[in-house]
Amino acid sequence: MGFLAQRQRTDNTLIATQNEPYVGEIIVAKILFISDQNNKIEQMQEILQKNSHEFSHASDSVMAFDVIKTQHPDIVILDTEINLDLKATHKKIKSFSDNILTILLTKTDDIEPELLKGVNAFLTEPISKNLLISTINSNLKTKNSLEKLSNSNQELARSLYQLNVLYNTSSQFAGTLDKDKLINIMVE
């Protein structure tokens, strides 16, 4: 079942209507799956596309890095069974952008501590569809919240700078300006 009537908002979310299977906010993401196993690729593609995500896959690191450069995915899901140096691959993924979320797909929960420090999440196989979607949505919501917080902090810093300039200007001219001129300067 797909979503038939969706409105995309500027913050990459979709609002589902009441005639659809899920009601509420759905975050749309570009997701790259790095794996060389066709059954996993097909399973991941089915799950993600049913949940309104854009899906792409790569079967080796060269292909993956090309996709990252051209499509700028929000999330990279890395199958740990692929024949790659996982730490080097993860490091290279993060070199493109620190904003790319990474999720490991593993057979066990025995992951190198160094690699575990850098990833946003890991999932063990067999994949639970609900856990996969929940993990993706949770990480996307956290990412969006951090971006909003960062933007708010930048706006606050600009406002504080403007207030500081205004204070310094008004202190210098307080004795020479009348009230109306001072208000005009403050408004500018």
Side-chain angles (χ1 to χ4, degrees):
M1 296 177 81
F3 293 95
L4 302 176
Q6 301 171 339
R7 289 188 331 246
Q8 185 155 4
R9 297 191 320 198
T10 56
D11 62 351
N12 263 3
T13 59
L14 294 179
I15 301 298
T17 62
Q18 292 182 0
N19 295 334
E20 298 160 4
Y22 304 101
V23 177
E25 187 173 272
I26 312 286
I27 300 176
V28 178
K30 292 180 185 177
I31 300 175
L32 169 63
F33 182 48
I34 303 173
S35 179
D36 57 1
Q37 297 183 17
N38 288 334
N39 60 333
K40 289 183 184 180
I41 293 169
E42 290 170 6
Q43 179 187 22
M44 194 68 68
Q45 182 174 10
E46 180 183 338
I47 294 169
L48 296 175
Q49 287 180 339
K50 279 185 178 179
N51 286 277
S52 301
H53 296 294
E54 293 180 33
F55 176 83
S56 58
H57 75 277
S59 56
D60 60 44
S61 61
V62 173
M63 204 169 144
F65 300 145
D66 285 343
V67 171
I68 292 170
K69 286 179 194 173
T70 58
Q71 296 182 15
H72 311 286
D74 300 301
I75 296 177
V76 174
I77 300 174
L78 182 57
D79 183 2
T80 59
E81 289 191 309
I82 194 168
N83 190 16
L84 291 175
D85 179 348
L86 295 175
K87 285 191 283 189
T89 302
H90 181 262
K91 186 175 181 178
K92 180 81 172 177
I93 290 169
K94 288 297 189 177
S95 74
F96 289 103
S97 173
D98 281 335
N99 290 331
I100 297 175
L101 302 172
T102 51
I103 298 173
L104 294 180
L105 180 62
T106 69
K107 285 277 187 194
T108 68
D109 62 358
D110 185 29
I111 302 170
E112 292 180 48
E114 177 95 11
L115 185 59
L116 194 56
K117 287 180 190 175
V119 299
N120 298 90
F122 74 93
L123 297 169
T124 55
E125 294 182 79
I127 301 170
S128 162
K129 294 176 188 178
N130 290 334
L131 183 58
L132 173 65
I133 296 304
S134 176
T135 301
I136 288 170
N137 288 341
S138 174
N139 278 279
L140 287 171
K141 286 176 184 177
T142 300
K143 178 183 175 183
N144 286 344
S145 294
L146 289 173
E147 286 173 356
K148 286 178 184 177
L149 181 60
S150 175
N151 291 338
S152 294
N153 284 343
Q154 289 173 358
E155 288 176 25
L156 179 60
R158 272 194 303 275
S159 295
L160 288 173
Y161 173 76
Q162 290 171 344
L163 282 172
N164 188 36
V165 168
L166 180 60
Y167 175 78
N168 289 336
T169 304
S170 65
S171 294
Q172 291 173 1
F173 296 110
T176 60
L177 294 177
D178 66 17
K179 183 179 174 183
D180 292 333
K181 287 183 182 178
L182 186 57
I183 290 174
N184 285 337
I185 291 173
M186 292 170 71
V187 172
E188 294 174 11

